[in-house]
Amino acid sequence: MKNLKDRVTIYQVAQAAGVSLATVSRVINKADSVTPATRKKVEATIQSLGYKPSGLAQALATNRTTNIGVIIPSANYVYLSNLLAGITEIAKEKNYVLTLFSTSHSRDEALAMIEKIITTHVDGVIVFDDQLSADDIKKISSYNVPAVVIDNKISSDRVGDILFSYDTVLRDQIINYYEKGGEKPMVFLHVHNAGRLLSRCEKTFIKTHEELGRPYKVINCNDSYTRTYQDFRRMFTSGEEKTGYYICYRDSIACAVQNAAMDSGLVIPRDVEILSLIGTKYAYIVRPTLTTMHIDMIEVGKRAMYMLTDLLNRELVEKTTKFEATFIQAESTIKR
Amino acid sequence: MKNLKDRVTIYQVAQAAGVSLATVSRVINKADSVTPATRKKVEATIQSLGYKPSGLAQALATNRTTNIGVIIPSANYVYLSNLLAGITEIAKEKNYVLTLFSTSHSRDEALAMIEKIITTHVDGVIVFDDQLSADDIKKISSYNVPAVVIDNKISSDRVGDILFSYDTVLRDQIINYYEKGGEKPMVFLHVHNAGRLLSRCEKTFIKTHEELGRPYKVINCNDSYTRTYQDFRRMFTSGEEKTGYYICYRDSIACAVQNAAMDSGLVIPRDVEILSLIGTKYAYIVRPTLTTMHIDMIEVGKRAMYMLTDLLNRELVEKTTKFEATFIQAESTIKR
DNA sequence: TTGTAAGCGTTATCAG
DNA sequence: CTGATAACGCTTACAA
């Protein structure tokens, strides 16, 4: 077994093949200016020595790493892994490797991350993290790292963005609900620190209600299935609240409310209706199936990666992509 | 905005601070042999110039990248993202960055991946991929890249492994089932190409039945919720099969069977019982809750990363960790 | 404590 | 078509 210092270098290959290292370099870079004969010879010695070029040295020399940084919160949500899956698929297709920068909810850590981004020499980044402000992105791109930012409107020279539009469809649904005689009190589940997307939805929720002059309710909930389940179980049995139309951040939370309601003897959707904002495939796996506002995060991931490669090739024309959420009627709400 | 060639280098910092680049290097590496005064001065210019060391150059010079490669199949399963979450958490704690190498079910691609591993200069890898054989791992470690391999018994000098033990608990449950008078036919859902873990379970399933002299059934199923749901819906309504104890690979598949049964008017667990082999949190979110064989993949991820750092520090004593699955009784099977 | 200079493994520019 | 040789940005003996 070779030890670290034994890494076969281009120089050793050159020597063994009886050519200069420049020639070897040409061979591994598939330059055309090499005689088939010498190419053959070099390739053979590469094989026999088990030589693999050092990406590090190549990157240092070329200023390209073929590495893409992905900045996402470390939260272990299904929609995040969907996003990642989408990015991964295209990255592979385009021959990029992904480096993961996962942030927590701390601002400091986010800053440390951008520090790392720079030192790591990624060719570009995909950012889906609410901790990073427009300024942070600007800082990143000031180091000439193109970025595609998800759920944050900050496109610029070398920054593309992908926007989600939940607002319209949410508003429409709320209006429709009341128009069609919806009578349960509408309740928005506020989750602390759950990011811009949820905040925007909450704002839309409140604004729409105020426009309509309808009463509404916002209650805090914990961003965990178990806690939320327990809280609602208590609520539903204590008799405080026996009915309602609950708008939840994501499937787990929606399930928590739904299960709590059912386990308290309430009937979905007769007594309690539930809407999950970020629907994943679990929305149609659970029973009753969950009505959701759906955006295909795998598609978002793919698109992000496509935009980034375009950006890298300096041929991104449309710097902004909008994903409109679609309302998917299922069993957890009454069809109106 | 600076362009690529404008990256501030250690040399520029040195010049601006009026010291040699060696001193700057010492400062950024927190060497103690630097006068507080000069350190101050250097740090100031680092700030004002916005200098960030090049990880590439550092890595090239030191032969350490602080990058860990993670090789996992690209399949978008919850238990995989749990694993990744675990790895991520500890990687961050230990100040490593993760590079993702996702493989498909093709052997060629797997080989291309190991090629990439080498050129990428990762300090170590965590492997959870059934496409990679012991030889492949050996190849990786012949390039002096320590590895922690999950679900594959191949520990060696610089390779640690994490093993799952589903076999005993599965066997015990099967035996117990019949001892306590279980009468439904037991059916194992075979998924093509779903990896070693499932194959081992299948083997245990068959072997146990043959030992007991009990009839059993293995049926093929598709590794997707929708397809499996449809197939079983058809089966349950066509009357071929109205009852059974189904052993499924993971939660989604188990849900498919469970939902198909319920939607066909069958009652869980009276008519149909269901066991999910790899249980995730969705097992207790869906209703009826799923009986599972559970291994906490987040813990597995954490442990893998811990083992790897130990390996990197050459202080890993216990090269093998075993995770024993625990049987979790829930509503989808009858308690016996 | 600080500076000088030789690597680290490539690519790329020139000559030949 | 091929070979020297200078970058790329940093670390690290060795000297001063």
Side-chain angles (χ1 to χ4, degrees), chain B residues 2 50 85 90 92 165 256 261 299:
Chain B
K2 350 186 170 185
I90 307 307
K92 206 156 152 187
S165 162
E299 281 309 315

Side-chain angles (χ1 to χ4, degrees), chain B residues 20 22-23 26 33-35 38 60-61:
Chain B
S20 84
T23 302
R26 285 177 191 117
S33 62
V34 182
T35 312
T38 45
L60 192 58

Side-chain angles (χ1 to χ4, degrees), chain B residues 35-308:
Chain B
T35 312
T38 45
R39 175 185 301 281
K40 208 107 201 160
K41 189 171 55 179
V42 172
E43 274 166 349
T45 49
I46 285 180
Q47 277 304 318
S48 71
L49 265 56
Y51 165 75
K52 312 253 183 270
S54 158
L56 243 41
Q58 289 180 313
L60 192 58
T62 57
N63 234 318
R64 287 197 64 229
T65 57
T66 68
N67 258 67
I68 300 296
V70 177
I71 310 183
I72 45 176
S74 55
N76 188 11
Y77 298 155
V78 172
Y79 71 83
L80 281 178
S81 70
N82 285 346
L83 177 75
L84 191 57
I87 297 174
T88 305
E89 183 184 331
I90 307 307
K92 206 156 152 187
E93 185 184 309
K94 303 282 186 183
N95 240 302
Y96 282 102
V97 159
L98 299 180
T99 300
L100 236 47
F101 299 87
S102 78
T103 56
S104 319
H105 286 302
S106 128
R107 173 86 188 130
D108 284 353
E109 245 192 58
L111 290 182
M113 277 290 86
I114 109 164
E115 194 88 14
K116 261 190 186 166
I117 300 281
I118 305 305
T119 66
T120 298
H121 269 270
V122 292
D123 288 345
V125 288
I126 293 176
V127 182
F128 184 28
D129 192 300
D130 287 315
Q131 295 301 311
L132 295 185
S133 68
D135 275 351
D136 297 328
I137 306 298
K138 216 160 276 169
K139 190 163 177 194
I140 291 178
S141 63
S142 84
Y143 282 91
N144 215 287
V145 180
V148 169
V149 182
I150 300 173
D151 194 29
N152 205 351
K153 190 175 173 49
I154 36 179
S155 64
S156 73
D157 183 26
R158 305 212 63 195
V159 180
D161 55 16
I162 291 183
L163 302 177
F164 298 146
S165 162
Y166 276 87
D167 315 332
T168 332
V169 61
L170 177 55
R171 184 191 151 82
D172 290 352
Q173 282 304 321
I174 294 174
I175 292 174
N176 182 65
Y177 173 80
Y178 290 115
E179 269 179 359
K180 300 290 168 57
E183 294 194 325
K184 302 189 184 72
M186 273 203 158
V187 183
F188 193 94
L189 270 63
H190 173 92
V191 178
H192 180 63
N193 237 334
R196 266 190 288 271
L197 200 162
L198 187 61
S199 306
R200 280 205 319 271
C201 288
E202 187 174 332
K203 238 173 251 163
T204 303
F205 174 83
I206 294 175
K207 193 159 155 249
T208 308
H209 276 85
E210 299 196 324
E211 279 174 25
L212 296 175
R214 297 275 185 172
Y216 62 88
K217 217 165 162 181
V218 173
I219 65 181
N220 290 304
C221 95
N222 191 279
D223 193 20
S224 102
Y225 171 83
T226 311
R227 280 288 303 277
T228 302
Y229 174 84
Q230 290 166 344
D231 292 348
F232 274 81
R233 194 77 172 77
R234 208 170 300 124
M235 206 181 83
F236 285 135
T237 48
S238 74
E240 295 173 37
E241 200 78 65
K242 289 277 188 200
T243 182
Y245 186 113
Y246 295 92
I247 299 179
C248 310
Y249 182 28
R250 54 200 178 84
D251 293 348
S252 292
I253 304 300
C255 285
V257 177
Q258 173 156 291
N259 287 340
M262 290 192 300
D263 293 351
S264 308
L266 299 173
V267 175
I268 312 274
R270 193 197 63 194
D271 306 322
V272 167
E273 294 183 65
I274 292 159
L275 172 68
S276 175
L277 287 175
I278 305 191
T280 70
K281 74 168 183 173
Y282 287 93
Y284 60 81
I285 287 185
V286 300
R287 296 306 166 85
T289 53
L290 290 171
T291 295
T292 62
M293 305 275 188
H294 183 257
I295 284 180
D296 186 338
M297 293 302 277
I298 297 186
E299 281 309 315
V300 172
K302 288 188 188 178
R303 161 115 275 135
M305 193 61 212
Y306 277 128
M307 287 174 72
L308 189 55

Side-chain angles (χ1 to χ4, degrees), chain A residues 115-134:
Chain A
E115 193 88 15
K116 262 192 185 166
I117 299 280
I118 306 304
T119 66
T120 299
H121 268 272
V122 292
D123 289 344
V125 289
I126 293 175
V127 182
F128 184 27
D129 193 299
D130 287 314
Q131 295 302 312
L132 295 186
S133 68

